Structures are given as structure tokens and as C-alpha cells.
């Protein structure tokens, strides 16, 4: 269920942390379903041996990193702990944090009832005790101490309680979510801000709350009643748990001194600011973390920080222990095979194996040597991707009839029919297209008259499927020449309609053909066509969904009897077009059902257009939010994501209600005008909850006096406040 990970480091037995470690291991409660793991950064070896023995007696995991001489990094400890854990959820608890058994029981109940969202996130708040408060807390039974200190907290007893933090490093999240989001960045070490950077990324992707105003400001603390700055936003992930009594106590210890402590905190603050701005601007995230608990070893032929590897971050935790190398790290096939053998590699991950000759040679070596591999690339349906253990495109046995040509159940047939119907009536495509205008308007716009239409979507000249699988077309230049010859031969009966690839800026001349406006929606062209002719474009598969006679001159993965018909040359095509044959509806259903429900993974994809050396563009996938992930050797994984933040009317925001309701109120006529940031001057009635990457703009709803009373009640009696708020909401 849940693993609580504790980072640790002690210099010697005189270090106060040594005594804290022994107390933590021997006295901190344990409860069924919650496992403990302590990750030691670099304590002396004689202490490590002692710690291992103490942990073994209480069935607590202990991982020594033995990084003596390196600056202590709690983040490194946390990352390794998550990578080694085996439970669905993870949390963190520093050695100075404590709680009675009842708190862990609440935590277990909380985890058992969390939403199924992959991007779920919570915080466990913390009450920091003074030195005298710590002595008092430790002098009695933990449950009794909590009961008493609950009252001290409500009374704001500053002699015993130093401060309260609703958001801390003690997050609760799904393990795979933490791994996919990159954990604590390696750039941070020492003290400060690494937790804020991690929290910022997890909270940003969680889509749980509306983001605060003036988000990047350091000026607003947890105690601020204005919903401004990043701390107030983070606090919403923990305030509800505080009201439920789910929080830790922080035992007093002296604050570390020295210039190194302060200077490192300042440096970490600068890192946090830079990373937060990059996240807002480009969605920039660190590379995903691998799963160190898995016995599987994967060689990824790519850089760890490359865009493709970052884009599949949700799949990384399921690939086991990864070795990152590019094909150019190996001089030849023999060196590659030796590396695979020496490192006991179980599988090799290829990103488009036909990308260059050297990578292709390694790919062929895997196939010839019976070495397991996975090919990752984009599928032919919108939002589809594949992890193929049997090859790439038409060279893969994954598309053999034995894999898909099976009778469908009633449920499967209804499901695939619905999928096809929704797709061909939508505007969802692989590449950007203009708006649909319908068949009648399409034929009228291009003056197609009564002639039959042969639609030909062009492909990118440099694509792997053109360079290696073009068949009788040879290449795009020769294919366009063939089309001009075909136009001359079919001029009396057919009109050839050609669409340039959306990412290309030019194309060869094709005399006799009608060239579509690049913005023309490909579905309109398919729907208006009497037949479709491709080299091996994915549009050929879409054509089958429209039940159009489909012909391919290159090698295509969807070219099978009853589906697309392969032709060797234009003579063959002319013969076929005398009596075009529509595909088998039943076989189209079976093939599509196999792709959608068994083979393809699906992900909401974020693309970025980048220019290439030839003056065109490349559409680069920078992030894939998978909804269904199908990896060889792994059971299908279905992900749910929270798509929208909780409404501003929720009691979650009540701590800041006075500020929220005061925004946008007009000053009295004679009052001095106070200039507000431009974002606050937007028309109030048009403002809606905004995505996590934007600032919050919230309208006024009630009278200020009422809000102030609520605020006073919240500060003095938070438990009563939340209970009343919940009662009023349910009434």
C-alpha cells in the first residue's frame, strides 16, 4: 500500500541525529499496510552496521548509499527510496518528525480511499515544536501528547509551538507518478528549495487546485491570508489533512550554522526560480526515474535527457533498470553485442530503428541474434503509439493476420463500430488540418464535377517508411512523376486530387492533378474520394475506416487481403480502378479492434513544431499523457488523470475566502484609487477557473464582513470551521 521513506545522515555518535535515529527506529509506530524504509546518505561504516541491525529487528528497510565526502542530499535519498520501494504509494518522513499510532491509522485510511487519478497528490502538514514544547511532548504518551498539543495549536501557544506548515516534504503520491515526474532534481543539494521544486512539478501536473495569484512570489508565507505566491498554493494540498488531524510533529533541533548552509540555500533558491519559470514557459521537466526494484534490464538507444525519452516518462518506470546509450556509443555491432551480454540486458528499446544506418545495423543484429527488443513510434490513429516487440511498421509480424483476424464478440464489435464512427465524424487527426467543410462544399470548391476522385496524400520524402518501404514508388520525387503519368491516363474518367504533407512547405509539380489547399481537412478529401492511393501513409488506414477502396504501392502494415490492395505500378492501379473494390467491413472492424484494444497505446500528446535543415518543419512530441499503456511483458495499464481543478467555491479555499471575495470589488466613489496588477482588471463575469499554468482571478461573492468573521473562526478554531463548512455544503 504505502512506503514511508526517511532520508538520513549522521557524522558520529555525538551527532544529535544518532540519538534521533535510535528513537525513531525503536519507538515510531508501525501499522499494517505501511512499510518503512530508511536511506542513509553517507554515515560512517561503523554506524551503518549498527543502523542495519536496529532496522532489521523492527523489519524496517535500510539502504546505505555510502556517499561519504559528498554534500548531503535528502533528495538523492528520497529518489533512491522511491526507486527501491514496491508499494503503490510513497511518502516521506524526516527523522525529526513523529506522530502517534492514530495518525498513521488516519493516513492508511486516507490512502485506501484516494481517487484513482494517476496524478493524485497530498501533503501531510507539520507542527514545529519549540525546545520546551519538544520536551513536554516527549515526556508523556504520544496519543495524550497529541490531544494536548491539538489544544496548544488551537490556542496559538507560541511557547510550545514554533510554527505550522500545511505543506511539507511529506507528500503522498503514487510511486509511478513520482518516478515519471523525475523526483528531486539532481542539481539540488544541501538545504533548501528542492522540496518546493518537486512540489511545484507534482502540483502543476496534478490539476487539483486553481493556482494562486502572483505565483512566483517568495513574499507570501503559509500564514498569509492572501492567496498569493507559491506557498499558499502548495498549502491547499495539506490544509484539509490538518483539519482531519492527519499531521506530524517536528521535534526541535538546533538550526545548522555556517556560511555553507546559507549560501547553498540561496543557490537552491535561484535554481528553484529558474526551473519554475521553465516549467511555466515550456513545460520543462527532468528526466524520469527508473525502477530499481525491477529485475528487468533495458538498454535504451537514446540519451536520458532527449526529447523522445522525456516524452515517454510515464512508460519509464515500467521498463525496469535502464542503461542509456546512443547508437554512436558503439563502434560496431560486435561492441554492441558485447555490451548487451556483459550487462545482462533483457531488452533493447529502439526509437525508430530505421532512423540511420548505424542504428539499423544494431536493430538487425537484435533480430538476427534473437535479442528481445521494443520499437517505439507513433501509430496511425490519432493519439496512438506503439511499443512493438516484433518489428517496425510493415516489417513487423505484429500485423500478421493470425494476430487480428479473429471473430469479434458482440461487445467488441459494438465498441469498435463506435470508435470508427466517432473518429470519421470528428476533426481529430495525426497532423494539423483546417476545419472540415463537408463533401459537397469540398467538391464545389475544387470544381470536381462528375468525375471520380482518386485522393493521393503525399508523404515526407525523408521519412523512414519512404526510404526503406517505398516499393514501386522508389521515392517521393519518382512517385510524383508516376502520378503525372497516371493523371494523363485517367483524364477521361478520374480526377487525381493531391494533398501536400502538412509539415512540408513545397512539393514537386504534378501536371494534371488538383492540388489541395494545405489547410484542407484530410477527412473531407477521403470522404469525397471514390478511391485512395498511397505509398504507405497512415492515411491509408483512415481510408479503410471510411470504407474506401484503398491502394498502396509501397509496403504498408495494413495491406492485407480484404483491406488495402498493394499494386506494383500504375498499370496495376489502372486495372484496379476499372472496378474499384471496397474493403471488407468485417475485416476493417477486426483489424481496427486489434489496434485499438490490444496493440496501440493511447496518449494525449503535446507537440512542438521545430524547423529542419530543408526549410520544412518537424512535429516533435514533447509529452505523452497515456490513458492506456501497452508494453511487452507488462499487463495493460489504464491511467486516469484529473483534468480540471477543484472549483473555487469549494471549502478547500475557505482559508483564503476573504482575499478571494475581496478581489474585484469597486472602491467607494471618494476613495483613493489603488492601482492593481493588470490581471486583476479583467471583467469579473467572464472569469472561470484556469489551468494550473495560469494565475488565479477570482470574483467577489459575499460581503466582506462575513468573510472576516469566517477567517477569524478559521484561525482560532480550524477543526470547528472545517466541520461547519462541510455541514453547510452537505445541507
Amino acid at each position: 500500500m504505502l512506503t514511508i521513506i526517511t532520508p538520513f545522515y549522521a557524522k558520529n555518535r555525538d551527532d544529535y541525529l544518532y540519538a534521533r535515529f535510535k528513537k525513531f527506529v525503536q519507538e515510531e509506530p508501525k501499522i499494517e499496510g505501511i512499510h518503512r524504509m530508511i536511506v542513509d546518505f553517507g554515515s560512517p561504516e561503523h554506524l551503518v552496521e549498527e543502523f542495519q541491525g536496529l532496522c532489521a529487528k523492527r523489519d524496517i528497510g535500510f539502504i546505505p548509499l555510502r556517499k561519504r565526502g559528498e554534500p548531503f542530499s535528502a533528495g538523492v535519498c528520497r529518489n533512491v527510496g522511491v526507486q527501491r520501494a514496491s508499494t503503490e504509494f510513497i511518502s516521506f518522513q524526516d527523522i525529526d518528525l513523529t506522530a502517534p499510532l492514530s495518525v498513521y491509522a488516519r493516513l492508511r485510511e486516507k490512502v485506501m480511499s484516494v481517487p484513482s487519478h494517476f496524478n493524485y497528490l497530498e501533503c501531510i502538514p507539520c507542527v514545529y515544536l519549540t525546545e520546551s514544547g519538544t520536551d513536554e511532548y516527549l515526556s508523556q504518551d504520544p496519543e495524550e501528547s497529541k490531544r494536548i498539543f491539538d489544544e496548544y495549536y488551537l490556542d496559538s501557544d507560541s511557547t510550545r509551538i514554533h510554527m505550522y506548515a500545511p505543506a511539507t516534504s511529506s507528500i503522498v503520491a503514487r510511486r509511478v507518478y513520482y518516478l515519471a515526474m523525475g523526483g528531486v532534481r539532481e542539481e539540488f543539494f544541501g538545504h533548501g528549495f528542492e522540496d518546493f521544486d518537486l512540489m511545484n512539478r507534482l502540483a502543476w501536473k496534478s490539476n487539483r487546485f486553481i493556482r494562486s495569484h502572483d505565483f512566483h512570489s517568495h513574499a507570501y508565507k503559509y500564514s498569509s491570508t492572501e492567496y498569493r505566491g507559491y506557498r499558499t498554493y502548495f498549502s491547499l494540498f495539506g490544509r484539509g489533512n490538518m483539519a482531519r488531524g492527519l499531521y506530524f510533529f517536528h521535534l526541535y533541533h538546533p538550526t545548522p550554522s555556517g556560511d555553507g548552509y546559507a549560501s547553498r540555500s540561496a543557490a537552491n533558491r535561484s535554481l528553484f526560480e529558474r526551473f519554475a519559470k521553465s516549467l511555466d514557459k515550456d513545460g520543462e521537466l527532468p528526466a524520469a526515474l527508473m525502477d530499481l526494484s525491477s529485475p528487468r534490464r533495458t538498454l535504451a538507444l537514446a540519451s536520458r535527457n532527449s526529447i523522445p525519452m522525456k516524452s515517454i516518462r510515464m512508460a519509464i518506470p515500467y521498463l525496469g533498470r535502464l542503461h542509456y546509450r546512443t547508437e554512436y556509443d558503439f563502434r560496431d555491432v560486435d561492441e554492441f553485442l558485447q555490451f548487451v551480454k556483459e550487462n545482462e540486458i533483457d531488452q533493447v528499446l529502439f526509437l525508430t530503428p530505421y532512423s540511420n544506418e548505424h542504428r539499423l545495423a544494431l536493430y538487425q543484429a537484435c533480430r538476427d541474434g534473437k535479442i528481445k527488443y521494443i520499437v517505439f513510434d507513433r501509430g496511425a490513429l490519432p493519439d496512438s503509439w506503439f511499443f512493438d516487440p516484433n518489428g517496425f511498421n510493415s516489417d513487423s509480424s505484429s500485423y500478421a493476420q493470425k494476430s487480428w483476424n479473429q471473430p469479434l464478440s458482440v461487445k467488441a464489435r459494438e465498441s469498435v463500430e463506435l470508435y470508427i464512427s466517432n473518429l470519421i465524424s470528428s476533426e481529430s487527426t495525426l497532423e494539423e488540418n483546417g476545419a472540415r467543410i463537408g463533401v459537397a462544399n469540398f467538391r464545389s470548391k475544387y470544381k470536381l464535377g462528375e468525375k471520380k476522385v482518386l485522393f493521393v496524400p503525399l508523404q515526407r520524402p525523408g521519412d523512414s517508411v519512404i526510404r526503406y518501404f517505398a516499393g514501386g514508388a522508389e521515392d517521393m520525387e519518382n512517385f510524383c512523376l508516376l502520378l503525372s503519368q497516371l493523371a494523363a491516363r485517367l483524364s477521361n474518367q478520374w480526377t487525381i486530387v493531391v494533398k501536400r504533407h502538412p509539415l512540408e512547405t513545397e512539393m514537386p509539380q504534378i501536371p494534371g492533378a488538383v492540388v489541395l489547399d494545405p489547410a484542407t481537412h484530410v477527412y473531407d478529401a477521403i470522404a469525397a474520394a471514390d478511391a485512395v492511393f498511397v505509398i504507405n501513409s497512415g492515411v491509408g488506414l483512415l481510408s479503410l475506416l471510411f470504407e474506401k477502396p484503398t491502394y498502396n504501392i509501397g509496403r504498408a502494415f495494413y495491406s492485407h487481403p480484404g483491406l488495402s490492395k498493394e499494386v506494383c505500378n500504375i498499370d496495376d492501379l489502372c486495372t484496379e480502378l476499372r472496378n474499384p473494390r471496397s474493403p471488407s467491413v468485417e475485416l476493417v472492424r477486426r483489424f481496427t479492434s486489434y489496434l485499438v484494444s490490444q496493440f496501440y497505446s493511447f496518449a494525449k500528446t503535446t507537440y512542438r513544431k521545430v524547423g529542419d535543415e530543408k526549410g520544412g518543419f518537424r512535429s516533435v512530441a514533447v509529452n505523452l499523457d497515456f490513458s492506456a499503456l501497452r508494453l511487452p511483458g507488462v499487463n495493460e495499464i489504464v491511467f486516469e488523470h484529473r483534468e480540471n481543478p477543484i472549483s473555487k467555491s469549494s471549502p478547500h479555499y475557505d482559508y483564503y475566502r476573504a482575499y478571494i471575495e475581496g478581489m474585484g470589488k469597486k472602491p467607494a466613489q471618494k476613495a483613493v484609487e489603488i492601482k492593481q496588477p493588470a490581471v486583476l482588471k479583467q471583467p469579473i463575469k467572464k472569469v472561470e477557473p484556469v489551468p494550473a499554468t495560469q494565475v488565479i482571478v477570482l470574483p467577489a461573492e459575499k460581503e466582506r464582513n462575513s468573510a472576516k468573521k469566517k477567517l477569524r473562526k478559521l484561525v482560532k478554531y480550524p477543526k470547528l470551521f472545517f466541520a461547519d463548512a462541510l455541514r453547510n455544503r452537505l445541507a
Side-chain angles (χ1 to χ4, degrees):
M1 180 189 297
L2 173 71
T3 298
I4 298 179
I5 297 155
T6 299
F8 183 75
Y9 167 68
K11 297 178 181 178
N12 49 52
R13 285 192 172 90
D14 294 330
D15 192 332
Y16 86 92
L17 288 168
Y18 171 76
R20 285 280 167 89
F21 182 98
K22 294 180 67 175
K23 174 178 174 53
F24 185 89
V25 170
Q26 294 169 352
E27 299 179 14
E28 203 62 19
K30 292 194 65 183
I31 189 171
E32 185 179 355
I34 297 182
H35 307 277
R36 288 197 179 277
M37 179 188 295
I38 297 177
V39 182
D40 183 276
F41 187 81
S43 299
E45 197 62 29
H46 66 278
L47 292 186
V48 167
E49 293 176 3
E50 181 180 354
F51 294 157
Q52 286 177 320
L54 290 171
C55 289
K57 290 179 180 178
R58 295 211 67 205
D59 194 26
I60 294 175
F62 183 83
I63 300 174
L65 300 184
R66 294 184 168 89
K67 292 181 175 290
R68 294 200 68 192
E70 297 184 34
F72 173 67
S73 172
V76 169
C77 295
R78 289 174 182 138
N79 285 352
V80 172
V82 177
Q83 290 177 289
R84 295 286 185 88
S86 58
T87 52
E88 180 180 2
F89 294 91
I90 54 90
S91 185
F92 305 116
Q93 182 181 359
D94 287 350
I95 208 78
D96 293 310
L97 301 184
T98 187
L101 182 63
S102 60
V103 169
Y104 294 105
R106 289 190 182 98
L107 176 58
R108 182 177 61 182
E109 292 171 2
K110 179 73 176 178
V111 171
M112 291 176 65
S113 61
V114 300
S116 56
H117 303 134
F118 166 75
N119 52 347
Y120 160 81
L121 179 66
E122 293 272 359
C123 270
I124 303 175
C126 186
V127 171
Y128 289 74
L129 305 182
T130 63
E131 186 172 9
S132 61
T134 298
D135 291 339
E136 182 179 344
Y137 182 92
L138 295 177
S139 67
Q140 51 201 337
D141 176 75
E143 295 290 357
E144 180 64 15
S145 286
K146 184 180 185 305
R147 186 189 67 77
I148 294 173
F149 274 78
D150 281 346
E151 298 302 319
Y152 292 156
Y153 166 74
L154 293 176
D155 292 340
S156 298
D157 188 334
S158 59
T159 64
R160 296 176 173 90
I161 295 177
H162 171 61
M163 62 171 286
Y164 157 59
T168 68
S169 61
S170 298
I171 62 168
V172 180
R174 282 186 164 81
R175 176 173 175 266
V176 289
Y177 181 47
Y178 182 96
L179 294 174
M181 295 298 286
V184 178
R185 289 184 189 265
E186 298 173 354
E187 293 89 338
F188 290 94
F189 64 88
H191 174 76
F193 291 93
E194 74 279 2
D195 296 338
F196 286 147
D197 174 71
L198 171 65
M199 185 67 186
N200 188 34
R201 283 179 277 122
L202 296 178
W204 169 78
K205 197 70 171 178
S206 75
N207 289 324
R208 189 174 178 194
F209 297 110
I210 299 169
R211 207 176 184 193
S212 56
H213 181 219
D214 197 15
F215 177 77
H216 294 279
S217 174
H218 296 284
Y220 300 93
K221 309 303 181 184
Y222 292 128
S223 58
S224 170
T225 55
E226 296 182 77
Y227 193 44
R228 304 178 72 174
Y230 57 88
R231 287 184 178 87
T232 62
Y233 173 57
F234 297 162
S235 77
L236 293 183
F237 291 86
R239 289 193 182 277
N241 285 331
M242 186 68 189
R244 298 182 186 96
L246 174 52
Y247 65 92
F248 288 129
F249 287 101
H250 180 277
L251 305 178
Y252 171 83
H253 62 78
T255 302
S257 59
D259 294 337
Y261 180 88
S263 63
R264 193 60 239 169
S265 182
N268 284 350
R269 170 171 164 157
S270 296
L271 283 174
F272 168 61
E273 291 171 347
R274 174 161 63 88
F275 291 140
K277 290 175 182 177
S278 295
L279 181 65
D280 281 1
K281 182 181 178 183
D282 301 316
E284 181 62 29
L285 296 167
L289 299 176
M290 69 181 78
D291 180 4
L292 295 178
S293 71
S294 172
R296 179 180 300 185
R297 293 178 180 271
T298 300
L299 169 59
L301 281 179
S303 167
R304 179 172 181 257
N305 287 299
S306 64
I307 291 177
M309 293 309 295
K310 283 188 172 183
S311 73
I312 60 169
R313 61 180 57 257
M314 287 178 63
I316 297 299
Y318 300 98
L319 295 173
R321 296 168 178 255
L322 277 86
H323 295 263
Y324 292 93
R325 300 287 189 279
T326 71
E327 59 268 31
Y328 299 111
D329 289 322
F330 305 103
R331 288 173 295 180
D332 51 35
V333 168
D334 290 339
E335 187 173 334
F336 166 74
L337 294 176
Q338 186 66 22
F339 180 90
V340 170
K341 180 179 179 181
E342 290 178 353
N343 290 277
E344 300 179 334
I345 299 299
D346 296 303
Q347 59 187 10
V348 181
L349 175 65
F350 288 93
L351 310 176
T352 315
Y354 288 84
S355 178
N356 59 66
E357 293 297 329
H358 193 35
R359 191 185 301 175
L360 179 58
L362 305 187
Y363 171 65
Q364 293 293 353
C366 286
R367 304 191 83 182
D368 295 341
K370 308 297 183 184
I371 297 171
K372 289 184 178 181
Y373 62 87
I374 300 174
V375 174
F376 169 74
D377 209 332
R378 188 170 70 166
L381 297 172
D383 294 329
S384 69
W385 299 84
F386 59 77
F387 295 87
D388 193 341
N390 299 310
F392 172 72
N393 207 280
S394 60
D395 81 14
S396 173
S397 60
S398 293
Y399 305 103
Q401 288 200 53
K402 64 180 181 180
S403 297
W404 59 268
N405 195 1
Q406 308 293 333
L408 297 175
S409 67
V410 173
K411 183 178 180 180
R413 176 174 284 101
E414 291 177 352
S415 177
V416 73
E417 286 177 350
L418 180 62
Y419 175 84
I420 293 173
S421 176
N422 288 340
L423 179 59
I424 65 177
S425 61
S426 73
E427 299 196 7
S428 177
T429 56
L430 291 176
E431 305 292 353
E432 186 176 340
N433 283 259
R436 296 188 68 169
I437 61 174
V439 171
N441 289 329
F442 176 88
R443 294 188 68 92
S444 175
K445 177 178 179 178
Y446 292 105
K447 300 178 175 60
L448 298 177
E450 298 301 320
K451 282 188 177 182
K452 294 180 179 179
V453 172
L454 178 66
F455 174 49
V456 184
L458 299 186
Q459 293 170 245
R460 309 208 72 186
D463 273 0
S464 299
V465 291
I466 296 297
R467 290 186 289 117
Y468 292 96
F469 306 127
E474 297 183 7
D475 55 35
M476 282 303 301
E477 184 177 3
N478 187 65
F479 182 63
C480 290
L481 176 62
L482 294 177
L483 290 179
S484 63
Q485 297 172 358
L486 183 64
R489 293 180 60 175
L490 296 178
S491 60
N492 293 329
Q493 300 115 355
W494 291 78
T495 296
I496 297 179
V497 174
V498 177
K499 187 176 189 298
R500 188 185 77 201
H501 191 279
L503 296 177
E504 292 294 314
T505 56
E506 56 184 33
M507 57 175 275
Q509 294 291 322
I510 306 176
V514 173
V515 178
L516 301 180
D517 183 322
T520 301
H521 201 288
V522 67
Y523 289 0
D524 283 339
I526 297 173
D530 295 280
V532 175
F533 180 41
V534 300
I535 298 179
N536 49 21
S537 168
V539 176
L541 176 61
L542 298 175
S543 173
L544 295 174
L545 303 189
F546 279 83
E547 301 177 14
K548 300 293 181 176
T550 305
Y551 304 95
N552 57 286
I553 194 171
R555 291 168 54 195
F557 69 90
Y558 48 79
S559 182
H560 297 282
L563 298 180
S564 179
K565 170 73 174 177
E566 184 173 346
V567 295
C568 297
N569 49 50
I570 60 172
D571 291 333
D572 285 351
L573 181 60
C574 288
T575 300
E576 289 291 335
L577 291 179
R578 293 193 190 110
N579 183 28
R581 287 174 290 182
S582 297
S584 163
V585 174
E586 178 61 21
L587 292 182
V588 169
R589 288 179 186 144
R590 292 181 183 183
F591 189 67
T592 307
S593 179
Y594 165 71
L595 294 178
V596 172
S597 62
Q598 297 182 52
F599 183 67
Y600 279 162
S601 296
F602 286 89
K604 181 180 179 182
T605 307
T606 303
Y607 289 97
R608 184 183 301 159
K609 279 189 178 180
V610 297
D612 59 27
E613 63 277 2
K614 298 180 181 179
F617 294 92
R618 289 187 302 122
S619 187
V620 179
V622 295
N623 184 66
L624 280 69
D625 284 329
F626 284 99
S627 55
L629 180 61
R630 298 183 174 107
L631 281 167
V634 180
N635 291 333
E636 177 185 356
I637 306 157
V638 177
F639 296 98
E640 293 182 36
H641 299 262
R642 176 185 283 280
E643 300 292 345
N644 298 300
I646 295 171
S647 168
K648 64 182 180 293
S649 61
S650 166
H652 280 289
Y653 301 95
D654 279 351
Y655 183 85
Y656 303 105
R657 189 62 64 192
Y659 173 75
I660 290 171
E661 294 179 350
M663 292 177 65
K665 281 187 175 292
K666 294 182 179 180
Q669 291 184 355
K670 295 184 179 181
V672 178
E673 181 179 357
I674 300 175
K675 291 185 178 180
Q676 298 285 357
V679 71
L680 300 185
K681 295 182 179 180
Q682 298 176 13
I684 297 302
K685 291 184 179 179
K686 296 183 180 180
V687 174
E688 296 292 340
V690 296
T693 52
Q694 301 179 28
V695 298
I696 181 172
V697 182
L698 299 172
E701 294 176 356
K702 298 180 181 179
E703 293 299 321
R704 185 181 299 272
N705 289 340
S706 174
K708 285 184 176 180
K709 290 180 181 178
K710 287 185 177 181
L711 180 59
R712 285 196 297 270
K713 179 179 178 182
L714 174 61
V715 172
K716 194 166 184 180
Y717 306 109
K719 284 188 175 180
L720 181 60
F721 177 88
F722 278 105
D724 288 347
L726 182 61
R727 250 194 321 269
N728 292 336
R729 190 163 181 78
L730 295 175

